Every structure is written in structure tokens, then in C-alpha cells.
Amino acid sequence: MTDAGAGPTAGTQDGPVWRSRRTDRRSTRTVRVRTSAVLIAATALAVLLVPPVVQLDQQAVDLSAKLLPPSWEHPFGTDDVGRDLLLRCVYGLRVSLLVGVAAALTATVIGTAVGACAGALGGWVDRVVMRLVDTFSSVPHLLLGIFIIALFRPGVWPVVISVALTHWLSTARIVRAEVLSLRSRPYIDAAVSGGASRWRVTVRHLLPGVLPHAALAAVLMTPHAMWHESALSFLGLGLPTHTASLGTLVQSARGSLLAGQWWPTLFPGLFIIVPTLAIAGLAGAWRERLNPRRRSELML
């Protein structure tokens, strides 16, 4: 009698525990998404509103106010030539976002086209394309990016080209795998049996199915492209030193950090990290929605 009564009690206890864990993970994911959305909104407002509202020249030099610590007048302090770091960080974020978004979109277009062609055509085309992808993937992105950018003069668009040409490989793999998965669906067989050409099947049926995954790849690639631009600019190979980007700001603050002034390095670094984490948080929630199996595993 005691054992018989103990079974239902244990079962009733396990149920609420399982539901509470799932609820806790849902609430954690909700908090993460909302926090990421707030940070992205704050970043967008700063980029769009601060330059028009603050009527100051971010290149204006004031040697009498150089390396001032954070204060009410200069919330982020000043750099080694007296320029306001808050304004410089906002302008640097604008440039880094431009590079990141442009490079991510370009790389996504290239990767989607290559992956769709490899998956739709199959055969020797698929094998040749994927061997080329594997060959390029074996070379470190930074080394290949340095080689590409060395062919151009320093500027925004050479950095965009360099980052785009080194970051389309993962998108090509994702799109190819999704195309191969879609080719086995019954409606694709029905379209082919109905006389649809391979081009029509690819454009009308396969590409719309992979676009959400390609868009997610572009979102995830944006912060990665920002980091890549920052690394190139930090090495002196990306944007010119007089151009305010987050990479050039960190690069120009190396001497100040060695002298004990921490703010010229800290705040540009935070402007790199915070948008990256915010975009990754929203992209993670989007990825869970695109992949219900992964989402159910996380909920359990």
C-alpha cells in the first residue's frame, strides 16, 4: 500500500519540476531577447540621433583638453588630442556598422548564389564547388583578408570587399545543405514531374525556402564582420587612422593604455562588444524559431 501510494506522489512531483524548468528557460530566453532588442534600439538611436543633435566636430583638436578622464562635460573622456570620445565612438560605430552590414550582405549574396547552384545542379558541379569552398576555408580568414586588402588603397570599401570575400563560405555550406534537403520534398518531385525546368524549380521553390536561413546567416555575420574590420584596422591595414572606426580608435589608444589612461581603450571596446552580444542574442532566438527541433531540445 505504501509503495502504491508513493508512485503517484513522485509522478506529481516530477511533472511540476519539469514544467518549472521549461518555464525558467522560456523566461530566460525572453529576458535575453528583450535585453538584446533594447540594446540594439539604443545603438540605432545613438547612431541616428547623436551626430545631428550634438553640433560638434568629432575631428576638432583641443590640445588643452587632451586625455581628460570621464566627466559631465565629456562622459567618455577625451583622447590624446582632446577630441570627445563619446562623439568619436558614435561616429566609429556608424562606420563599423556600415562595414559590417555591407560586408555581411555581400557575403550572403555570394554564398547564397554559390550554395544554391551547387545544391540545385549537383553532380560534378557540386563536387567542384565544395572542393573550392574547402580550399578557401583551409586558409585563415585574417591572413586571406590581409592579402586581399593589400591589393587596394586603405578605405571603407576595400575593407568591405576583403571581409565579404572571406566570409561567404559558411553561408554557401548552409544554403547548399538546405537546398539538398528541400530537393527531397514531395512538392519538388511534383514540380519536376509537371515539366518545370531546373531553373524554375530553383527560383520558384528552392530559393524561397533557403532565404530565411540566408537572412539569419547575414545577421549573424554582421557582428563577425565588425570584429574583422576592427582587427584589420587595429593592425593598421584597414581604414585610415584619421577615419573614426572602432578598430582605429582602439589602435590609436594603445599608447594611452600603457601610460595608465584606460578610458580611450575601454569605451571603444564596449562599443564593439555590446552590439555584438545584442545581435547574437536576437539571432539566437531567430535560429530557435527556424529550427523547432533545436528549440524543443532547449526547452526540455
Side-chain angles (χ1 to χ4, degrees):
M1 296 295 292
T2 304
D3 294 337
T9 304
T12 55
Q13 289 178 353
D14 290 342
V17 170
W18 177 80
R19 286 195 296 269
S20 64
R21 289 177 180 175
R22 182 175 63 181
T23 304
D24 290 342
R25 293 183 180 181
R26 281 179 175 174
S27 61
T28 301
R29 185 167 60 248
T30 302
V31 171
R32 183 187 64 192
V33 171
R34 290 179 179 176
T35 303
S36 300
V38 169
L39 291 176
I40 290 178
T43 300
L45 289 176
V47 169
L48 295 175
L49 298 182
V50 170
V53 172
V54 181
Q55 298 296 326
L56 294 176
D57 183 8
Q58 54 103 10
Q59 296 284 11
V61 175
D62 184 6
L63 295 178
S64 63
K66 66 178 183 178
L67 292 176
L68 293 178
S71 61
W72 287 109
E73 185 179 1
H74 302 286
F76 286 4
T78 59
D79 62 5
D80 55 350
V81 291
R83 295 174 293 194
D84 185 77
L85 269 179
L86 174 58
L87 197 60
R88 295 275 292 170
C89 286
V90 171
Y91 274 94
L93 181 60
R94 294 180 71 182
V95 174
S96 296
L97 278 175
L98 170 65
V99 173
V101 172
L105 290 178
T106 305
T108 301
V109 171
I110 297 173
T112 301
V114 173
C117 289
L121 297 177
W124 67 270
V125 176
D126 185 23
R127 292 192 294 270
V128 171
V129 169
M130 296 316 296
R131 295 296 79 76
L132 289 175
V133 170
D134 293 338
T135 301
F136 280 107
S137 298
S138 64
V139 182
H141 286 174
L142 188 58
L143 292 179
L144 186 58
I146 290 173
F147 173 77
I148 294 173
I149 206 169
L151 303 176
F152 304 93
R153 300 180 62 180
V156 172
W157 297 112
V159 176
V160 171
I161 294 172
S162 172
V163 176
L165 291 181
T166 55
H167 287 75
W168 59 272
L169 306 171
S170 59
T171 304
R173 286 198 179 98
I174 293 171
V175 171
R176 171 186 175 271
E178 193 63 24
V179 168
L180 292 177
S181 175
L182 292 175
R183 283 178 57 183
S184 61
R185 303 291 175 86
Y187 69 92
I188 299 296
D189 294 335
V192 174
S193 301
S197 64
R198 182 174 294 179
W199 171 258
R200 183 178 178 84
V201 170
T202 302
V203 174
R204 293 292 299 274
H205 301 288
L206 296 180
L207 280 181
V210 303
L211 284 181
H213 298 273
L216 176 60
V219 174
L220 288 171
M221 202 182 303
T222 298
H224 190 70
M226 292 174 59
W227 280 87
H228 205 77
E229 177 274 322
S230 299
L232 289 173
S233 298
F234 182 80
L235 294 174
L237 301 170
L239 301 178
T241 55
H242 66 272
T243 301
S245 75
L246 298 178
T248 57
L249 291 179
V250 175
Q251 193 272 343
S252 62
R254 288 183 301 173
S256 302
L257 183 62
L258 295 176
Q261 288 86 17
W262 49 268
W263 54 92
T265 304
L266 174 65
F267 293 112
L270 289 177
F271 268 65
I272 297 175
I273 295 172
V274 171
T276 299
L277 294 179
I279 295 174
L282 284 182
W286 188 2
R287 180 170 51 193
E288 292 171 17
R289 287 186 175 275
L290 285 179
N291 193 339
R293 180 179 299 177
R294 177 180 175 84
R295 180 179 61 180
S296 62
E297 291 173 356
L298 291 175
M299 287 169 56
L300 295 175

